[in-house]
Amino acid sequence: SFRLPGWAAKPRDAPTLIVYKGDEEQERHLLAEKAMLFGRKVEHAPARGTMRLDHDSISREHAVIVHAFQGESFVCDLESRYGTKLNGEPLKARAYTTLPEGAELRW
């Protein structure tokens, strides 16, 4: 299961996560916690850092966005079955990758 890295910190300027289904915006969430964990078997509590994604292609703990002390944000695929894509490119499992502003994540 996911463990928050020691370098994680609450962001100074919390970014906004915009959730789309197709081309239609579904939700907006301020990412004000140290991390946001996404998965099929996590509690749906975005204000507390967890978001449930109910779909068969989503793993129990699929991916996480983590903020660092230096102000950067990172995304990490948690060895999910179908992977995570950042701007169309598959992420390497268990590797923290810089998450640029305006990036698109797909599960």
Side-chain angles (χ1 to χ4, degrees):
S1 71
F2 172 72
R3 292 179 191 255
L4 193 64
W7 49 263
K10 286 194 173 192
R12 288 175 236 155
D13 295 316
T16 300
L17 172 72
I18 304 171
V19 179
Y20 288 91
K21 187 172 185 178
D23 290 334
E24 187 176 320
E25 183 178 319
Q26 301 290 307
E27 308 172 44
R28 284 180 179 248
H29 300 284
L30 199 60
L31 300 180
E33 293 301 315
K34 293 179 181 181
M36 176 69 82
L37 176 64
F38 301 90
R40 187 170 34 88
K41 295 290 183 180
V42 300
E43 180 183 6
H44 189 71
R48 293 191 308 226
T50 58
M51 183 178 286
R52 183 174 41 245
L53 302 172
D54 291 317
H55 193 275
D56 290 342
S57 67
I58 304 297
S59 296
R60 291 172 196 222
E61 288 188 350
H62 194 97
V64 65
I65 294 173
V66 180
H67 306 291
F69 287 111
Q70 302 86 353
E72 288 184 289
S73 296
F74 296 89
V75 61
C76 181
D77 180 85
L78 301 174
E79 296 179 309
S80 65
R81 174 173 273 182
Y82 296 107
T84 302
K85 290 184 178 181
L86 171 62
N87 293 328
E89 296 294 318
L91 293 176
K92 182 178 174 186
R94 295 277 176 195
Y96 286 92
T97 303
T98 302
L99 183 62
E101 185 176 333
E104 177 182 270
L105 291 172
R106 287 193 181 252
W107 328 110

